[in-house]
């Protein structure tokens, strides 16, 4: 074996001198030396020492290079799923990242009133905007919508019963289930109605001295069709008022706008629930809002204040990074500059525009590309039945199977995530940002 010092002086390791001085670097060095020693012991023949030194240095450089690359990396999403949960849901606006950099690389007034010099609350930055956008009385922000549901149920339902429809006991991806969150919140679930039909009378009959809360959940990722029934929002609110029991709605995707013009007809609009008079509503920050992962709780001041007082809130609150990005995204809504928000650019892209981009991309790729019509998905548990008409490019490369091509694209730099449709590798232009096209071409070449 060559002396350790010879290995450390090898030119292959010139870029890693600093790392090799750390305990992590020493450990990797020892591992590679040991592995080589074992190899030599079980092999035969003679290797010149200089060659062995170079071999060890090269193996170590490779290990270091792989280990020092961030594991969380940018990818090109060519899948056509706009809110792809496994690919990080909503891409964030540049303006939001500018704001994040500005307020987070130094100090900020996160919990400090600049007017009076007194300690403030971090949620006020967001509440101010949500009150304008939703016309609600109060709002707070937690880590995600799952946390929001847990916190509301625990604050308003603990020790008592929460009435909810049997048809709304949903499971959202990643093992969030309404009945299980309910159990963890220490509220008892009182299921009413049948799987397909629940009437307002079913809720009313279940109300007794133990009832703390009436719950309504947007079914998000599934749809019931056929012989179905669900009380209207107005009936739900009226019952709560009449019986003096607070109402709570988990809206899931939380769209700030009516999506019908984009062909998405069954996603509720947050302000509709506020206007109808629901006492507390919650929704995600990184679904149809197009912002960072967060759970937003909005509604009547009386209840939002109670929720804020819950010690669990301290455990579920968000940091300045989330607040700065969320504030900037909400400001884009307030100023009506929706095109700053990437998911709105993607959702609103017209078929004609996507077709044109697919044609020009195919021309640049050449013989391997075929332009074709596609359907994109909203994703993120939203609008499961909606297929947005889109255009893309199918790839065929001689001597490469679709599975092999998909894998090679996934292993490129940056990785390109495609979908395989009818035995073809397909790139959907809806989720490929125009800024990514040059890089995509380079990867394909
Ligand atoms: C997505 C969703 C959740 C969970 O939201 P996260 O932000 O992913 O934690 C909860 N309830 C409903 C109805 C949802 O659609």
């Amino acid at each position: 074996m060559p002396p350790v010092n010879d290995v450390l002086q090898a030119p292959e390791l010139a870029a890693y001198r600093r790392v090799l001085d750390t305990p992590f670097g020493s450990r990797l060095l020892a591992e590679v030396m040991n592995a080589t020693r074992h190899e030599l012991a079980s092999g035969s023949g003679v290797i010149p020492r200089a060659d062995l030194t170079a071999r060890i240095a090269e193996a170590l450089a490779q290990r270091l290079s792989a280990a020092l690359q961030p594991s969380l990396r940018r990818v090109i999403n060519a899948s056509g799923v706009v809110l792809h949960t496994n690919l990080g849901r909503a891409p964030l606006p540049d303006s939001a990242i500018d704001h994040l950099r500005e307020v987070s690389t130094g100090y900020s007034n996160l919990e400090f009133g600049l007017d009076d010099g007194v300690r403030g609350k971090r949620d006020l930055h967001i509440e101010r905007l949500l009150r304008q956008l939703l016309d609600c009385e109060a709002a707070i922000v937690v880590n995600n919508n799952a946390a929001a549901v847990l916190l509301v149920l625990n604050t308003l339902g603990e020790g008592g019963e929460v009435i909810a429809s049997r048809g709304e006991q949903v499971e959202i991806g990643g093992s969030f289930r309404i009945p299980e969150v309910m159990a963890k919140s220490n509220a008892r679930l009182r299921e009413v109605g049948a799987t397909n039909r629940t009437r307002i009378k079913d809720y009313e009959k279940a109300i007794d001295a133990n009832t703390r809360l009436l719950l309504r959940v947007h079914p998000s990722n599934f749809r019931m069709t056929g012989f179905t029934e669900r009380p209207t929002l107005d009936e739900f609110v009226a019952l709560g008022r009449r019986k003096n029991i607070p109402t709570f709605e988990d809206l899931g995707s939380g769209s700030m706008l009516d999506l019908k013009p984009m062909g998405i007809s069954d996603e509720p609009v947050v302000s509709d629930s506020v206007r109808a008079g629901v006492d507390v509503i919650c929704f995600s920050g990184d679904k149809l809002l197009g912002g960072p992962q967060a759970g937003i709780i909005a509604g009547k001041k009386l209840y939002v204040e109670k929720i804020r007082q819950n010690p669990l809130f301290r455990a579920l609150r968000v940091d300045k990074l989330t607040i700065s990005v969320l504030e900037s995204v909400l400001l884009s809504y307030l100023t009506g500059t929706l095109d700053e928000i990437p998911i709105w650019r993607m959702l609103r892209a017209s078929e004609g525009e996507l077709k044109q981009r697919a044609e020009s991309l195919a021309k640049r790729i050449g013989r391997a590309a075929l332009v074709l019509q596609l359907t994109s998905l909203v994703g993120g548990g939203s609008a499961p039945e909606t297929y947005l008409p889109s255009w893309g490019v199918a790839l065929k490369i001689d001597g490469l199977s679709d599975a092999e091509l998909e894998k090679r694209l996934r292993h490129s730099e940056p990785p390109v995530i495609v979908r395989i449709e009818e035995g073809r590798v397909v790139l959907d232009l809806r989720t490929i940002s125009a800024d990514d096209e040059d890089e995509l071409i380079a990867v394909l070449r």
Side-chain angles (χ1 to χ4, degrees), residues 25 45 48 123 210 386:
D123 301 279
N210 295 318
T386 301

Side-chain angles (χ1 to χ4, degrees), residues 241-312:
R241 293 226 172 113
R242 194 145 43 77
K243 300 288 187 179
N244 206 16
I245 295 168
T247 48
F248 169 37
E249 185 174 28
D250 173 11
L251 282 166
S253 45
S255 182
M256 303 298 262
L257 309 172
D258 188 354
L259 300 181
K260 283 194 199 79
M262 275 158 265
I264 303 168
S265 56
D266 48 5
E267 280 301 320
V269 182
V270 177
S271 55
D272 285 351
S273 292
V274 178
R275 197 174 312 115
V278 180
D279 293 309
V280 180
I281 56 176
C282 70
F283 52 96
S284 290
D286 55 354
K287 291 184 182 173
L288 286 170
L289 188 75
Q293 177 188 304
I296 294 163
I297 301 170
K300 304 274 164 66
K301 200 177 174 79
L302 169 72
Y303 300 113
V304 174
E305 270 316 309
K306 267 193 192 160
I307 294 164
R308 194 199 290 282
Q309 305 301 328
N310 187 332
L312 260 187

Side-chain angles (χ1 to χ4, degrees), residues 54 93 145 174 205 214 248 272 280 312 331 371 398:
N145 192 36
K205 274 188 291 190
L214 302 181
F248 169 37
D272 285 351
V280 180
L312 260 187
L331 274 168
V371 174
D398 291 340

Side-chain angles (χ1 to χ4, degrees), residues 89 144-146 172 176 217-218 220 250 252 284 286-287:
R89 287 197 186 156
N144 56 13
N145 192 36
I172 313 291
F176 171 89
V217 181
H218 174 48
S220 299
D250 173 11
S284 290
D286 55 354
K287 291 184 182 173

Side-chain angles (χ1 to χ4, degrees), residues 138-185:
I140 57 171
V141 184
V142 289
N143 177 58
N144 56 13
N145 192 36
V149 174
L150 175 71
L151 183 61
V152 175
L153 290 176
N154 177 260
T155 310
L156 301 178
E158 187 171 28
E161 283 184 357
V162 177
I163 302 180
S165 161
R166 187 154 288 147
E168 296 174 5
Q169 305 304 313
V170 296
E171 172 176 315
I172 313 291
S175 73
F176 171 89
R177 289 172 156 184
I178 291 289
E180 289 172 9
V181 174
M182 184 87 73
K184 285 291 178 195
S185 76

Side-chain angles (χ1 to χ4, degrees), residues 80-82 354 374-378 386-390 419 428 430:
V81 182
V82 177
L354 294 169
L374 293 170
T375 47
S376 331
L377 287 171
V378 179
T386 301
Y387 300 93
L388 303 166
S390 183
R419 67 178 197 252
D428 187 329
R430 188 179 294 277

